[in-house]
Amino acid sequence: MSAPSAPSAASAPQEPQGKPKVSEREARQVAEAAREQGWRKPSFAKEMFLGRFRLDLIHPHPMPASEDVKRGEQFLTKLREFSETRIDGARIEREARIPDEVINGLKELGALGMKIETKYGGLGLTQMYYNKALALVGSASPAIGALLSAHQSIGVPQPLKIFGTQEQKDTFLPRLARTDISAFLLTEPDVGSDPARLATTAVPDGDSYVLDGVKLWTTNGVVADLLVVMARVPKTEGRKGGITAFVVEAGSPGITVENRNAFMGLRGLENGVTRFHQVRVPAANRIGPEGAGLKIALTTLNTGRLSLPAMCVGAGKWCLKIAREWSAAREQWGKPVGRHEAVGAKISFIAATTFALEAVVDLASQMADEDRNDIRIEAALAKLYGSEMSCLMADELVQIRGGRGFETADSLAARGERAVPAEQMLRDLRINRIFEGSTEIMHLLIAREAVDAHLAVAGDIIDPDKSLSDKARAGAQAGRFYARWLPKLVAGPGQLPGSYAEFHPAGHPDLSTHLRYVERSARKLARSTFYAMSRWQGRMETKQGFLGRIVDIGAELFAMSAACVRAELMRASGDHGREAYQLADVFCRQARIRVEELFTRLWSNTDDLDRKVVNGVLAGTYTWLEAGIVDPSGEGPWIADATPGPSQRENVHRPIH
């Protein structure tokens, strides 16, 4: 597709320099426009937030096709052998780099094309087996898991699969399946989860665009061959403009990887700072229409987010293994430490939570493969819950290991003990609460989807820009909706002792009581959301503490549901069913305690007091409290200068040979 004629690249028109000035309302409008607006398919989590416990959407547990299982298991066998014999996780941690020969081995194995269709040279794995593969290889080296996930979950293959033209697929997917590594470039030095302020520009110039700007935290960017770049096309007469997605050759003139970033964990991560100066990109490389970039990014993440909790499952399994082995070998006061109640409670938490987290990821993955349900909320809940709970599990493992948990694996080996990288696991997992949407952003994203039905019928009432007549129509519409909806929140199957009886087979713990609790809690959650909207109306979006707790309750209820459904599947198939029921029962009992606390904190909290303290802190009221220390921070600005222009630094881009 050709763009209107414009000056040559050397003199291509430039947007005015400086940060885009965007109001809070404008920023929200940009984010809202990027949302997938409709709900064409059912959603278990959406229904749950509305107080409707649709167990039929997840039970019986969906199952993969036999051919998909065969293909997936064959690859897992090869990947396991590779992970055990070719990946040295300690070396990657020590050298802060994945060796070229390991990456080339992964290419030969076909690991770059796990999710790419076979007709393009990929393996064509399902989401279920792709996630199992990431959990496996990520347990050998989290940095490798991150490399493969960034390449396929958010890099070039996924947006091309959904939004690319046939020509783009034919051109790029065979390369991405076997030889080329991809990266996703959205974040900028002064732009994180607020893309409305995106400063990188893509100026039309004949049959090309000219890119200028700086991108930060470009995972895989240091070694990538192909990039997905989000840039702002100027709005002009006859041209919509807006944030737009492009496939860019990493070796194009004008691209400089100015820095390879170093982090507290994931030390083998090839993450950098990339500068674009007058980089010419063919219009044929634009993905979708102008202005569709954010929608493409968010849609890509709907299932892409499942890769991160999949690796968290792998981390939980490893934590459980080490906790079991160590707690049986280490003795204190005459018996193994695992037999002491204080330590045993931690082991039980790790075991039960690992079971539930795997249940959440496998259920959401299989639902994604079947494509019968809209899983945007389920995937987001899996990411949120997995990242938070895996950090807690790793922290508990470090505590169980005591001083040895704080000691590095190399130090342990140097003095003759098993090199257990517990402290590394804790460091590596910490980024997951920030990657692909921080916990705080995930709370807001999920909350927005959870209240979508309310805003659809009553949004105009609280919109200050709507006229009185619009508000009146919205009020009438809302009245009809709530007249039908509210009475259904009073009673339900959760109050009937015989409900969900199939989850109480003879000789097994009673999981039906937990499902009844979920059903009652879903209605309570919906009532709480309605009360909050009635109370705060237009200020609801500012009540981030409340919204976060609403989402956390939903995450726990989803995990309880998934754990019960998985346990019943395992019982029915004769695969450790009794043990699965026991783990599901313990997890649900632990989760119910957390849910009750969250419900209490919806209305009994310090949110208002916290806000007053924060205002004082930011105003400098409490600077006296900071006296008596030395700040070891270095000099320099809080945010690096990202003014477009030619690079003044050495290019540290490292092609894999």
Side-chain angles (χ1 to χ4, degrees):
M1 178 177 179
S2 297
S5 225
S8 66
S11 60
Q14 299 293 312
E15 287 260 89
Q17 301 305 326
K19 303 171 186 175
K21 302 297 182 184
V22 180
S23 68
E24 181 179 359
R25 182 169 181 80
E26 289 171 329
R28 292 181 184 279
Q29 287 174 338
V30 169
E32 182 66 17
R35 281 184 61 249
E36 190 173 350
Q37 302 294 327
W39 292 88
R40 295 182 298 277
K41 299 175 183 176
S43 164
F44 172 81
K46 174 176 176 287
E47 292 293 302
M48 182 180 66
F49 279 111
L50 284 170
R52 300 189 283 253
F53 182 50
R54 292 286 307 279
L55 185 62
D56 60 295
L57 293 177
I58 61 172
H59 174 69
H61 194 295
M63 297 295 291
S66 57
E67 183 59 36
D68 292 334
V69 173
K70 180 181 178 181
R71 185 189 307 120
E73 292 295 339
Q74 287 176 343
F75 177 70
L76 287 181
T77 299
K78 296 177 184 176
L79 185 62
R80 174 173 288 278
E81 181 184 5
F82 183 90
S83 298
E84 291 175 341
T85 61
R86 302 277 297 278
I87 297 175
D88 184 346
R91 177 188 173 189
I92 293 172
E93 171 73 2
R94 191 165 49 248
E95 298 179 356
R97 171 180 290 192
I98 303 171
D100 285 9
E101 61 267 24
V102 174
I103 296 179
N104 285 327
L106 290 167
K107 291 180 179 180
E108 294 167 7
L109 201 62
L112 293 188
M114 287 187 282
K115 286 192 71 180
I116 296 176
E117 294 176 86
T118 54
K119 64 182 178 181
Y120 299 113
L123 298 181
L125 298 187
T126 61
Q127 183 73 38
M128 171 78 82
Y129 275 97
Y130 169 65
N131 286 342
K132 288 183 180 297
L134 288 178
L136 174 61
V137 76
S139 66
S141 168
I144 292 179
L147 180 141
L148 293 174
S149 172
H151 165 68
Q152 290 171 91
S153 298
I154 59 174
V156 178
Q158 191 67 9
L160 280 192
K161 176 182 177 180
I162 304 173
F163 298 99
T165 65
Q166 190 59 52
E167 182 181 1
Q168 289 171 337
K169 294 176 183 178
D170 292 340
T171 300
F172 296 117
L173 289 182
R175 293 169 54 184
L176 293 160
R178 290 290 173 181
T179 60
D180 287 19
I181 297 171
S182 70
F184 173 75
L185 279 61
L186 171 63
T187 305
E188 298 177 1
D190 198 30
V191 178
S193 299
D194 180 12
R197 299 169 61 247
L198 200 77
T200 297
T201 58
V203 179
D205 182 20
D207 59 357
S208 302
Y209 291 83
V210 178
L211 270 60
D212 282 277
V214 178
K215 295 293 184 180
L216 176 62
W217 297 324
T218 59
T219 299
N220 287 0
V222 179
V223 297
D225 305 288
L226 287 169
L227 315 170
V228 174
V229 181
M230 297 292 168
R232 184 184 302 280
V233 176
K235 182 178 181 179
T236 58
E237 187 176 349
R239 181 181 292 278
K240 178 183 178 181
I243 298 173
T244 305
F246 300 90
V247 179
V248 182
E249 299 278 358
S252 299
I255 297 181
T256 306
V257 179
E258 295 189 328
N259 193 64
R260 183 183 186 273
N261 302 323
F263 304 98
M264 68 180 283
L266 288 183
R267 290 180 175 167
L269 196 68
E270 297 292 351
N271 179 294
V273 177
T274 303
R275 177 178 292 270
F276 297 86
H277 175 60
Q278 298 285 283
V279 178
R280 183 171 289 278
V281 179
N285 285 19
R286 189 187 71 215
I287 307 176
E290 289 181 1
L294 284 185
K295 185 178 289 291
I296 289 171
L298 290 178
T299 304
T300 297
L301 282 171
N302 278 346
T303 55
R305 281 198 175 95
L306 289 174
S307 62
L308 193 151
M311 289 184 281
C312 292
V313 170
K317 289 173 178 286
W318 182 82
C319 288
L320 180 61
K321 179 179 185 295
I322 298 301
R324 172 179 58 81
E325 294 176 351
W326 166 251
S327 298
R330 172 65 162 166
E331 290 192 0
Q332 289 280 60
W333 297 301
K335 58 184 177 182
V337 295
R339 300 294 181 184
H340 292 283
E341 189 174 272
V343 175
K346 299 179 187 300
I347 297 172
S348 174
F349 168 74
I350 293 172
T353 304
T354 297
F355 176 82
L357 185 52
E358 185 170 38
V360 165
V361 173
D362 281 3
L363 177 62
S365 299
Q366 190 56 42
M367 290 167 74
D369 288 331
E370 290 192 350
D371 200 27
R372 287 190 294 111
N373 296 318
D374 187 324
I375 66 155
R376 75 182 88 159
I377 300 181
E378 288 84 348
L381 286 172
K383 188 274 177 190
L384 169 70
Y385 199 70
S387 61
E388 290 291 328
M389 300 306 276
S390 61
C391 274
L392 289 176
M393 288 190 285
D395 189 65
E396 293 288 42
L397 175 64
V398 167
Q399 191 70 17
I400 291 170
R401 287 274 291 161
R404 291 172 173 84
F406 194 66
E407 191 173 1
T408 67
D410 281 349
S411 178
L412 288 164
R415 59 182 186 78
E417 292 193 2
R418 186 176 299 185
V420 178
E423 60 83 29
Q424 180 192 337
M425 176 63 74
L426 185 59
R427 289 187 287 103
D428 287 343
L429 284 171
R430 183 59 183 83
I431 186 58
N432 292 335
R433 296 173 61 199
I434 301 170
F435 262 169
E436 298 180 20
S438 69
T439 291
E440 294 73 24
I441 291 299
M442 297 306 297
H443 277 152
L444 298 181
L445 184 151
I446 297 168
R448 173 62 187 86
E449 300 294 355
V451 301
D452 186 52
H454 299 282
L455 294 179
V457 298
D460 286 356
I461 298 175
I462 59 177
D463 189 338
D465 291 341
K466 295 298 181 181
S467 66
L468 289 176
S469 59
D470 288 336
K471 291 178 183 290
R473 280 193 296 272
Q477 182 182 8
R480 291 190 294 271
F481 172 79
Y482 290 119
R484 295 191 305 271
W485 179 67
L486 285 171
K488 297 177 181 178
L489 302 181
V490 176
Q495 292 163 295
L496 302 176
S499 298
Y500 315 115
E502 67 268 34
F503 287 87
H504 190 193
H508 292 70
D510 184 4
L511 298 186
S512 68
T513 184
H514 300 311
L515 292 177
R516 290 195 294 272
Y517 176 84
V518 172
E519 196 278 336
R520 295 194 305 272
S521 297
R523 286 186 281 111
K524 182 178 179 180
L525 186 64
R527 292 195 302 268
S528 299
T529 304
F530 173 73
Y531 296 154
M533 290 195 66
S534 302
R535 176 178 176 180
W536 292 312
Q537 298 186 27
R539 293 185 294 127
M540 178 77 161
E541 65 183 18
T542 68
K543 301 296 181 178
Q544 295 180 0
F546 178 91
L547 293 173
R549 294 174 199 115
I550 286 287
V551 169
D552 285 340
I553 292 170
E556 294 283 5
L557 298 180
F558 178 43
M560 290 175 66
S561 305
C564 291
V565 169
R566 181 179 182 84
E568 174 57 19
L569 169 67
M570 294 177 69
R571 186 200 67 81
S573 62
D575 184 16
H576 302 291
R578 194 176 303 276
E579 297 86 351
Y581 255 69
Q582 184 178 32
L583 287 171
D585 179 47
V586 172
F587 171 77
C588 287
R589 292 180 186 277
Q590 294 172 355
R592 287 171 72 158
I593 294 171
R594 294 191 292 266
V595 169
E596 289 304 308
E597 180 185 355
L598 286 164
F599 268 125
T600 298
R601 290 176 56 211
L602 284 179
W603 310 109
S604 178
N605 54 64
T606 60
D607 291 351
D608 291 339
L609 292 173
D610 294 341
R611 194 173 301 111
K612 292 179 181 178
V613 171
V614 169
N615 290 338
V617 169
L618 297 182
T621 305
Y622 309 117
T623 52
W624 51 268
L625 192 57
E626 302 164 10
I629 63 164
V630 173
D631 183 356
S633 305
E635 299 295 325
W638 286 105
I639 299 171
D641 180 35
T643 303
S647 179
Q648 305 299 318
R649 305 184 65 174
E650 176 188 356
N651 189 359
V652 297
H653 181 242
R654 180 173 71 89
I656 302 300
H657 298 297

